[in-house]
Amino acid sequence: MDLCPAESTGLTGAEEAEIETIRKHRQELLDDIEKLKEQIAEVFAEIECFQREEEKQVADSNPGEQISKLSQRDKILSLGRKKFNMDPEKGIQYLTEHQVLSSDLQEIARFLHKGEGLNKTAIGDYLGGRDPTNIQILQGLCGMSPIANLNLVQALRQFLWSFRLPGEAQKIDRMMEAFANWYCKCNPGVFQSTDTCYVLSFSIIMLNTSLHNPNVKDKPHFERFVSINRGIDNGGDLPEELLKNLFESIKNEPFSIPEDDGNDLTHTFFNPNREGWLLKLGGRVKTWKRRWFILTDNCLYYFEYTTDKEPLGIIPLENLSVRKVDDPKKPNCFELFIPNCKGQKIKACKTDGDGKVVEGKHQSYKISAATPAERDEWIEAIRTSITQDPFYDLVSARKKKIASKN
């Protein structure tokens, strides 16, 4: 029997080739989708394995109890903590909507004060919020610190234990205002006004940084501490003995925060002003290397990896300037340099191949960002860091307020 001839498609050779290409692309997409499904299945398997391990740990810590799985509440709480660490407002909203937390502000304050599984920077950021709810929670948290009959340094140690001060000046102002009010309420008669407590608290925190930051070479003496606090007690001076006790307390024992092992130079009371990946041109060997940069405390630190605790190098920004520059090999460059001092090396340090700290070789630092916008944002952040410190601005404003009353 004769076979019927294949029905003509009416397409040209080029059109048929295009259709065949589309079919191949479709198949490739289907294959990719299958691979993604397999990867997703692997991720869910890992999550399930992790949950089983967590359940086992819970069971091991509660002998005699047969716990087959974490309670739904514990799972919601765990997810809520993760949400809080990424976005504090959304985390609290999630936990209240799922009734793990009530809307009672004291309960939320206790949750933050306890701080289990919560990022200390996120807690500080939330407490510094300007919404009346945030302020009431901050006041509630202050009330959980038993600071009656403690000197100001001891009280600050308790207050700063459960979070890190945010980097935004207005948030710092609200938090320190709440602390000063609570301290004066618990210790009547120590200071003539809350403004005095506010200014002295800032002076103590700045003293802590000056005495214990390895990049501050000019360590303040007690006389300097006395000098900067003259006239802050409603126009009068505080007793020298009181200031001496506070000074010696900070000198002998710096402030510490949870999880601070004493070796991580990125642990400060401020959030970093800025952080991110940049390319840095070497000093002696002119090669570009990708480094993780952190701008904080008037210094620029750079690391090989984001998880490193020790920086590869530290660039103190004092007496430096920053500007845009062009480079034939890399786009979006900016430069740190010493103005009016051509040929002079920047006072910086880095670790060599043996792990020893050595003096830097740079007369300037050339750095490349990924985009023009990132370059401009880094330049602006560095300029701000060089010229401004929110603590000094806040203290200056409060001192003017005290002076205006007298």
Side-chain angles (χ1 to χ4, degrees):
M1 186 173 67
D2 295 335
L3 294 174
C4 295
E7 186 179 349
S8 173
T9 61
L11 299 175
T12 66
E15 288 171 336
E16 289 180 349
E18 182 66 22
I19 289 174
E20 184 61 29
T21 300
I22 292 171
R23 287 196 185 107
K24 287 181 180 179
H25 285 169
R26 178 178 177 276
Q27 188 58 48
E28 288 172 0
L29 285 172
L30 291 173
D31 291 342
D32 288 341
I33 290 170
E34 287 302 316
K35 288 178 183 178
L36 283 172
K37 287 180 179 178
E38 291 174 4
Q39 291 173 359
I40 291 170
E42 289 175 4
V43 170
F44 276 114
E46 289 178 6
I47 292 173
E48 188 177 348
C49 181
F50 171 78
Q51 289 177 336
R52 283 199 300 268
E53 180 62 27
E54 194 170 4
E55 290 165 6
K56 182 177 180 299
Q57 290 176 3
V58 172
D60 290 344
S61 65
N62 294 275
E65 294 184 22
Q66 298 298 318
I67 302 177
S68 61
K69 62 180 181 178
L70 290 174
S71 70
Q72 185 66 19
R73 184 184 183 281
D74 289 337
K75 291 180 180 179
I76 293 172
L77 178 59
S78 177
L79 182 56
R81 285 169 174 161
K82 292 175 183 177
K83 287 180 177 290
F84 179 90
N85 293 338
M86 292 185 289
D87 187 322
E89 297 285 350
K90 290 182 179 178
I92 294 296
Q93 181 182 352
Y94 176 85
L95 291 170
T96 53
E97 286 177 352
H98 287 78
Q99 299 181 343
V100 173
L101 287 177
S102 73
S103 57
D104 180 66
L105 302 185
Q106 282 295 112
E107 182 180 338
I108 296 174
R110 283 192 293 271
F111 173 72
L112 299 179
H113 187 257
K114 194 173 182 181
E116 288 184 1
L118 302 181
N119 180 275
K120 306 305 175 186
T121 298
I123 295 174
D125 187 61
Y126 182 80
L127 292 174
R130 65 181 178 181
D131 189 271
T133 298
N134 297 65
I135 293 172
Q136 290 181 56
I137 292 170
L138 169 62
Q139 292 168 344
L141 185 139
C142 287
M144 293 169 189
S145 298
I147 59 176
N149 302 315
L150 296 183
N151 70 34
L152 193 55
V153 168
Q154 293 169 331
L156 280 168
R157 291 190 197 282
Q158 287 205 21
F159 180 63
L160 297 171
W161 176 256
S162 56
F163 61 87
R164 295 183 189 170
L165 284 174
E168 184 182 329
Q170 290 181 339
K171 290 187 175 184
I172 299 172
D173 177 63
R174 284 189 284 270
M175 297 175 78
M176 298 307 295
E177 183 77 46
F179 168 78
N181 286 330
W182 177 242
Y183 184 85
C184 290
K185 184 177 180 179
C186 294
N187 299 276
V190 175
F191 303 114
Q192 292 192 38
S193 72
T194 56
D195 288 334
T196 304
C197 181
Y198 177 101
V199 171
L200 187 57
S201 297
F202 272 120
S203 294
I204 289 168
I205 294 173
M206 290 188 288
L207 175 68
N208 178 80
T209 300
S210 299
L211 287 175
H212 300 290
N213 188 321
N215 298 302
V216 178
K217 304 303 180 185
D218 182 20
K219 302 298 182 185
H221 299 289
F222 172 64
E223 291 74 17
R224 182 176 166 190
F225 182 64
V226 172
S227 176
I228 66 173
N229 288 297
R230 290 198 187 282
I232 67 170
D233 199 23
N234 276 3
D237 294 339
L238 292 165
E240 190 167 307
E241 183 180 358
L242 181 148
L243 294 177
K244 183 71 173 177
N245 289 337
L246 299 178
F247 182 90
E248 291 298 326
S249 179
I250 285 295
K251 183 179 178 181
N252 294 330
E253 183 184 354
F255 286 128
S256 60
I257 55 176
E259 297 136 11
D260 186 356
D261 60 8
N263 297 317
D264 187 351
L265 291 177
T266 66
H267 280 175
T268 67
F269 289 111
F270 288 109
N271 289 340
N273 302 104
R274 188 170 178 83
E275 57 186 337
W277 289 107
L278 296 168
L279 295 174
K280 184 184 78 69
L281 184 63
R284 185 170 54 85
V285 181
K286 299 298 182 182
T287 56
W288 291 90
K289 292 188 177 179
R290 189 170 183 256
R291 297 290 182 243
W292 179 256
F293 278 80
I294 291 180
L295 173 64
T296 186
D297 199 20
N298 203 32
C299 287
L300 194 59
Y301 301 85
Y302 57 92
F303 302 75
E304 186 171 7
Y305 303 107
T306 58
T307 53
D308 288 349
K309 287 192 172 184
E310 296 292 341
L312 291 175
I314 305 171
I315 310 169
L317 298 175
E318 187 177 3
N319 301 322
L320 297 186
S321 292
V322 60
R323 63 190 174 193
K324 295 180 186 178
V325 291
D326 294 323
D327 186 271
K329 294 184 178 179
K330 295 294 178 183
N332 313 317
C333 289
F334 61 93
E335 181 182 51
L336 295 168
F337 66 100
I338 305 175
N340 305 319
C341 292
K342 191 174 182 180
Q344 182 178 336
K345 288 181 181 177
I346 292 175
K347 293 180 180 178
C349 63
K350 65 175 185 177
T351 52
D352 64 11
D354 298 323
K356 296 179 181 178
V357 178
V358 298
E359 186 178 357
K361 305 290 186 184
H362 289 262
Q363 294 180 14
S364 66
Y365 283 86
K366 187 177 284 189
I367 298 169
S368 171
T371 66
E374 283 190 25
R375 175 200 59 200
D376 294 344
E377 288 167 1
W378 272 102
I379 289 174
E380 181 62 28
I382 291 170
R383 282 178 178 159
T384 301
S385 179
I386 290 171
T387 57
Q388 292 182 353
D389 185 327
F391 272 8
Y392 287 99
D393 292 341
L394 292 169
V395 170
S396 176
R398 193 56 61 102
K399 283 184 175 180
K400 287 179 182 178
K401 179 182 175 183
I402 294 171
S404 68
K405 293 179 179 179
N406 300 284

